Amino acid sequence: MTDTSYLFDTGSDLGAAQMDHLAAMLDAATFGMLTPIGIQSGWRCLDVGAGGGSVARWLADQVGPDGEVLAVDLDTAQLHSQPGVDPVAHDINDGLPGHLAGPYDLIHTRLTLMHLPRREEILALLADSLAPGGWLVVGDVTDRPRRVLSAVSAEDLAVWERIQHLSHRVVGPAGGLDVDWAHRIDDRMVAAGLTEIHGIETSQTVTGGSPGMLLHLSLNKQAYHLLVAAGATAAQLERYQELCRDPQLRTWFYQFLCVRGRRPR
Ligand SMILES: C[S@@+](CC[C@H](N)C(=O)[O-])C[C@H]1O[C@@H](n2cnc3c(N)ncnc32)[C@H](O)[C@@H]1O
């Protein structure tokens, strides 16, 4: 496994759908964590692993034309033509060199550090790249099971749980994913010397065919061959994908944990 072994294809149509569904599911909670910071016109911001750019666009609205929002991603295909957002194709494993160097008034990163084996070192780098008084906001999902809530057959329950397990505990970790990391963000912010640390955990229930389930569907299609290699059968994957579209299925969505911390003035 290399540092850049990201599991999904951000620039693909499935990647675009993934970003849309993430925005639908998580932007409200993220904006709820960003708003109390009181982002000012003219601030310099960085979004690491900006994906479809929904958070970068929101930041651009806050900082206005005198501010700057750099949106860094391995693949900037989904970031073109977004007013006020400066897309930068870059691997964050290579640090923040040249025009990406701090200081920043605000750095945000969502569902990105959990994919990076050097996540703790990178969080420390991001904290060091803040201006005095600047904010770091980190969101990732936790290991809480995506528990089935509706009455489904024993066979369907077994398919759901097996594919979820293979995705998050076999295929994901082999590609660098750590769904236990989110619980360590607070501790790593303390170690990085940040203050005013505050976190939230949030989740919701989702039904087949809704954005949360269509996110699972997109991830499953992108990881299809890896899941087969991990032991999933074609029949199990076909049924899992049907379940993701089936309004009869209702489960918990991912638990999202988001933490902000501030560099002392
Ligand atoms: C799960 S997506 C999250 C996208 C967005 N932050 C959101 O929450 O909607 C992870 C993003 O991180 C990007 N990414 C993965 N590894 C990266 C790396 N080493 N450097 C920069 N971006 C990376 C991916 O291309 C993808 O856009």
Side-chain angles (χ1 to χ4, degrees):
M1 183 176 67
T2 69
D3 280 346
T4 54
S5 58
Y6 181 59
L7 285 162
F8 304 111
D9 184 359
T10 301
S12 66
D13 288 349
L14 286 170
Q18 176 189 349
M19 298 314 157
D20 287 348
H21 300 319
L22 284 175
M25 297 305 295
L26 301 180
D27 277 2
T30 297
F31 300 160
M33 281 296 280
L34 289 167
T35 297
I37 287 173
I39 298 167
Q40 305 286 309
S41 163
W43 275 20
R44 184 169 188 247
C45 302
L46 174 70
D47 192 12
V48 177
S54 62
V55 176
R57 277 195 301 283
W58 186 90
L59 289 171
D61 283 347
Q62 312 299 307
V63 303
D66 295 334
E68 182 180 25
V69 179
L70 296 173
V72 163
D73 205 290
L74 277 182
D75 185 337
T76 55
Q78 313 295 348
L79 288 169
H80 295 312
S81 313
Q82 307 202 4
V85 174
D86 187 2
V88 183
H90 177 70
D91 182 345
I92 193 62
N93 289 299
D94 297 333
L96 290 173
H99 70 299
L100 287 175
Y104 290 97
D105 300 297
L106 185 141
I107 300 177
H108 168 260
T109 185
R110 187 173 77 187
L111 308 192
T112 300
L113 293 184
M114 68 181 192
H115 287 283
L116 304 176
R118 288 167 47 214
R119 53 189 66 81
E120 303 202 0
E121 186 187 327
I122 293 169
L123 185 147
L125 165 77
L126 299 180
D128 283 348
S129 303
L130 294 170
W135 291 87
L136 175 62
V137 182
V138 179
D140 276 306
V141 298
T142 78
D143 55 339
R144 194 177 92 156
R146 277 63 58 198
R147 199 178 302 287
V148 173
L149 297 165
S150 54
V152 295
S153 69
E155 291 79 8
D156 283 346
L157 183 60
V159 165
W160 178 261
E161 290 184 344
R162 174 153 172 78
I163 300 303
Q164 285 283 320
H165 170 78
L166 289 177
S167 302
H168 299 96
R169 292 292 174 188
V170 180
V171 169
L177 180 72
D178 183 349
V179 286
D180 300 314
W181 144 256
H183 302 295
R184 304 199 300 275
I185 297 171
D186 185 294
D187 175 61
R188 292 299 87 200
M189 284 195 177
V190 172
L194 301 187
T195 58
E196 299 181 48
I197 297 170
H198 176 71
I200 57 151
E201 291 177 347
T202 179
S203 190
Q204 55 188 296
T205 60
V206 287
T207 57
S210 70
M213 282 292 186
L214 296 178
L215 174 72
H216 286 307
L217 182 62
S218 167
L219 298 176
N220 186 266
K221 287 181 172 177
Q222 292 181 73
Y224 188 93
H225 296 293
L226 295 172
L227 286 160
V228 170
T233 67
Q236 287 169 341
L237 289 164
E238 185 182 348
R239 185 61 191 143
Y240 179 87
Q241 294 188 5
E242 284 170 1
L243 287 169
C244 289
R245 294 190 203 90
D246 183 351
Q248 299 302 315
L249 181 69
R250 204 160 51 81
T251 74
W252 276 105
F253 187 60
Y254 290 107
Q255 184 184 48
F256 176 60
L257 195 152
C258 189
V259 187
R260 63 176 184 243
R262 188 175 201 186
R263 182 166 175 183
R265 286 187 181 282

